[in-house]
Amino acid sequence: RAVIGLHQYIAKYLAGRGSRARPKIVIAHDVRHFSRHFCELAASTWTRLGGEAVIFDGPRSTPQLSFTVRHLKAHTGAVITASHNPPHDNGFKAYFDDGAQVTPPHDKGIITEVDAVPLSAVHEFLTKDLAQVVTLGRQADDDYLAAAAQAALDPGIFKRTPLRVVYTNIHGVGGVSSVPLLLHAGVQVTEVPEQVAFDARFPTVKSPNPENAEAMALAVALAERGGHDLVMATDPDGDRMGAGVRNRAGRMELLTGNQIGALLADYRIAKYKELGWIPAKGTDRACIVKTFVTTPLQDAIGRGHGVKVINTLTGFKWIAGKMRGYENALGKAMGPGFDYDATPFRERAALLQQHSTFYLFGTEESYGYLPNDLLRDKDGNSACLMFAEVCAWVKARGLTVPEYLDEIYLKYGFFLEGVINLYYEGASGTAKIKRILDTYRSAPPTAFGDTKVTRFQDFGREKFHDADNELIPAQDLYLVTLGNGYSFAARGSGTEPKMKFYLFATEPVKDAASLPAAKAKAQATLDALKALMEADARKRAEG
């Protein structure tokens, strides 16, 4: 039904634009139960409906799908995956012609078409016919790897500073691209042997999610034994990356997605300046893009470097939407005949700063990063290369990564983040999440203990504009500012049965000597706030 509905929407969309082209789709899949079968079934259905379908010869990452949709100038794409969800899950993610997950109005249009497909229309497609389906070969992988390799701004760093990395794909697709990417760059890679093989059960972990320390445990243990510099892991569909680094005491220390994103943002903006891609003083024609629920440290870093900071709703599709706007603005300025993708990246960067906005880096707190606009979804493969570059640069300076992070704190203040996840399963759980969201709107919190609420922003009722003065779509998202300068965001999860709160602490730092006290104060205050906020939310959930 999903494939039939998507085909109908794309066919109508093309017809509405006066195009007589056959709808073309690229479909990828991960290692989950039945993923290959679902991929082939989707491709078979698409060709029997009269469209062109292209698939890979085995499991591939979500970012490679995003790239290939653009590269082959397909009209749409799909990935059969449930990302980092439990083994029993699977799913269908739809993409548009720019290589990004669909956003309004296309998302609602596609859902309407899917809902209109009766089950009686499905049975005739349940027998696979792959005669008309095109299977991509090695060239597709080489094309993606060539694009992903451009994530490295200083590729020579790995020859000057040898880096030893432990990497795990946690039984997923990451090793298909992440390992070749790192090896070609000159990084020494050791894979976790127990987790290399594709396995839909993810048998060595409770959850195949690099956000969880337990999923990184085998990699960390291997790095501790081998004295490696860095540990990196990608999730089953290869769009998220987690990392652990060696601290001054010589122990491996896991980083949060917010910390990794902040390190990447600071390094990459500074490197772009050093290379002369953007002015040394910064420019409002270059930007980093982040989500509202990602650490405000990145806002401070962007402002400190003199570049524009764009905040979006949660989900990389909104970050990709900003890129599409910048691409369209440049295309309009250059006129008919201008080929955005065919323009060399360095040249494009200069043109974007002249006529539009140059995208420097994008990130979200849930371990998603994207170095450039060559594709339009978070990319765990290029994130491995980007972060390895940061670590090699830090090593060349004789520092550890936590010490580089402290340098950033000394410049911008100490920032600490926390998360509250309230899981509510089933229909009754959905009702509880809705009660929390509804009562936040009808009776917003006024204080948590002695800490007053000084500002309450309701993205479902009020109108907000981003730094480009573009209207942000309405959503059940609340941003709450507290009297002590801390803040938090509240929203229902888009992929799991849970209510999420994102907490942001910040403390001023006068000098290096005062940094430990600032860290301790932020942690203690945040812990106290978390307890109060969670108690309040649970009370609201029960009505």
Side-chain angles (χ1 to χ4, degrees), residues 282-516:
T283 171
D284 63 358
R285 291 299 187 96
C287 73
I288 59 171
V289 190
K290 59 181 279 291
T291 61
F292 283 106
V293 299
T294 299
T295 177
L297 173 56
Q298 289 179 39
D299 298 81
I301 289 169
R303 286 194 302 268
H305 279 288
V307 301
K308 185 164 54 178
V309 181
I310 304 289
N311 279 280
T312 71
L313 297 175
T314 306
F316 242 84
K317 62 185 180 181
W318 301 109
I319 296 176
K322 296 303 300 185
M323 292 185 230
R324 182 164 194 149
Y326 299 145
E327 176 183 351
N328 290 344
L330 180 57
K332 188 176 179 182
M334 301 301 290
F338 175 70
D339 190 327
Y340 189 87
D341 288 331
T343 305
F345 185 53
R346 176 73 187 261
E347 183 183 335
R348 205 159 84 196
L351 289 171
L352 283 163
Q353 288 176 79
Q354 189 178 346
H355 301 290
S356 181
T357 297
F358 174 42
Y359 166 94
L360 298 168
F361 176 65
T363 178
E364 61 182 6
E365 54 76 41
S366 55
Y367 295 66
Y369 325 95
L370 183 59
N372 51 49
D373 68 354
L374 301 179
L375 56 121
R376 303 295 167 91
D377 206 349
K378 54 186 180 284
D379 186 349
N381 304 308
S382 64
C384 285
L385 182 60
M386 277 195 291
F387 196 64
E389 180 182 349
V390 171
C391 294
W393 175 78
V394 168
K395 185 179 179 181
R397 295 178 61 206
L399 295 177
T400 65
V401 173
E403 286 168 344
Y404 174 35
L405 198 52
D406 283 349
E407 286 185 344
I408 295 173
Y409 293 145
L410 288 171
K411 205 178 290 182
Y412 301 110
F414 179 66
F415 289 77
L416 180 69
E417 299 76 39
V419 179
I420 300 171
N421 289 313
L422 300 181
Y423 287 87
Y424 293 111
E425 302 275 358
S428 63
T430 301
K432 288 180 179 182
I433 293 169
K434 187 175 186 303
R435 270 199 293 275
I436 297 172
L437 290 168
D438 288 350
T439 58
Y440 253 73
R441 176 165 289 144
S442 60
T446 56
F448 294 96
D450 296 330
T451 308
K452 298 264 192 265
V453 170
T454 56
R455 190 181 185 197
F456 183 86
Q457 296 168 276
D458 181 349
F459 281 70
R461 293 287 173 87
E462 303 170 63
K463 289 189 175 180
F464 296 96
H465 294 79
D466 66 19
D468 288 327
N469 202 33
E470 289 187 354
L471 183 67
I472 295 162
Q475 192 177 82
D476 282 338
L477 167 69
Y478 307 106
L479 293 186
V480 183
T481 306
L482 305 174
N484 60 358
Y486 291 24
S487 61
F488 70 89
R491 59 181 282 271
S493 172
T495 56
E496 297 175 86
K498 65 183 179 182
M499 181 72 200
K500 294 193 75 170
F501 295 87
Y502 307 79
L503 289 73
F504 308 111
T506 179
E507 293 290 342
V509 179
K510 293 178 183 176
D511 50 38
S514 65
L515 184 55

Side-chain angles (χ1 to χ4, degrees), residues 123-175:
H123 73 276
E124 64 182 282
F125 296 102
L126 295 181
T127 303
K128 287 187 292 190
D129 177 2
L130 303 180
Q132 302 301 314
V133 175
V134 174
T135 300
L136 295 169
R138 172 68 181 272
Q139 188 60 48
D141 294 333
D142 290 345
D143 291 339
Y144 166 67
L145 287 171
Q150 294 190 57
L153 297 180
D154 181 15
I157 186 77
F158 300 114
K159 289 187 177 66
R160 302 191 302 272
T161 310
L163 195 72
R164 297 178 63 236
V165 170
V166 170
Y167 168 79
T168 176
N169 52 297
I170 320 180
H171 305 291
V173 302

Side-chain angles (χ1 to χ4, degrees), residues 5 34 36 59 69 86 93 115 122 157 194 212 231 234 245 248 270 292 304 314 322 334 394 414 444 448 492 529 538:
F34 304 109
R36 182 68 184 180
V69 166
K93 287 201 287 193
D115 287 344
V122 171
I157 186 77
E194 301 94 326
N212 300 334
V231 166
T234 52
V245 294
R248 183 54 67 186
F292 283 106
T314 306
K322 296 303 300 185
M334 301 301 290
V394 168
F414 179 66
F448 294 96
L529 271 172
R538 290 191 183 280

Side-chain angles (χ1 to χ4, degrees), residues 255 259-267 387 390 401 404-405 408:
L255 299 174
Q259 290 172 327
I260 296 168
L263 289 161
L264 287 169
D266 186 67
Y267 171 81
F387 196 64
V390 171
V401 173
Y404 174 35
L405 198 52
I408 295 173

Side-chain angles (χ1 to χ4, degrees), residues 156-280:
I157 186 77
F158 300 114
K159 289 187 177 66
R160 302 191 302 272
T161 310
L163 195 72
R164 297 178 63 236
V165 170
V166 170
Y167 168 79
T168 176
N169 52 297
I170 320 180
H171 305 291
V173 302
V176 174
S177 300
S178 290
V179 173
L181 199 58
L182 291 166
L183 289 174
H184 291 168
V187 178
Q188 298 176 47
V189 181
T190 300
E191 295 184 77
V192 177
E194 301 94 326
Q195 296 177 325
V196 168
F198 296 154
D199 195 325
R201 301 167 301 156
F202 312 116
T204 61
V205 295
K206 290 177 185 171
S207 167
N209 186 350
E211 294 182 48
N212 300 334
E214 179 268 338
M216 306 274 284
L218 286 174
V220 168
L222 183 55
E224 294 283 22
R225 292 195 302 272
H228 295 77
D229 301 299
L230 170 64
V231 166
M232 291 188 290
T234 52
D235 69 342
D237 69 323
D239 63 353
R240 299 172 191 238
M241 185 276 291
V245 294
R246 198 168 291 285
N247 58 27
R248 183 54 67 186
R251 302 289 296 174
M252 297 306 296
E253 180 179 315
L254 294 180
L255 299 174
T256 68
N258 279 309
Q259 290 172 327
I260 296 168
L263 289 161
L264 287 169
D266 186 67
Y267 171 81
R268 292 182 72 78
I269 299 170
K271 184 58 70 174
Y272 271 126
K273 289 180 175 181
E274 182 186 312
L275 295 171
W277 286 51
I278 65 173

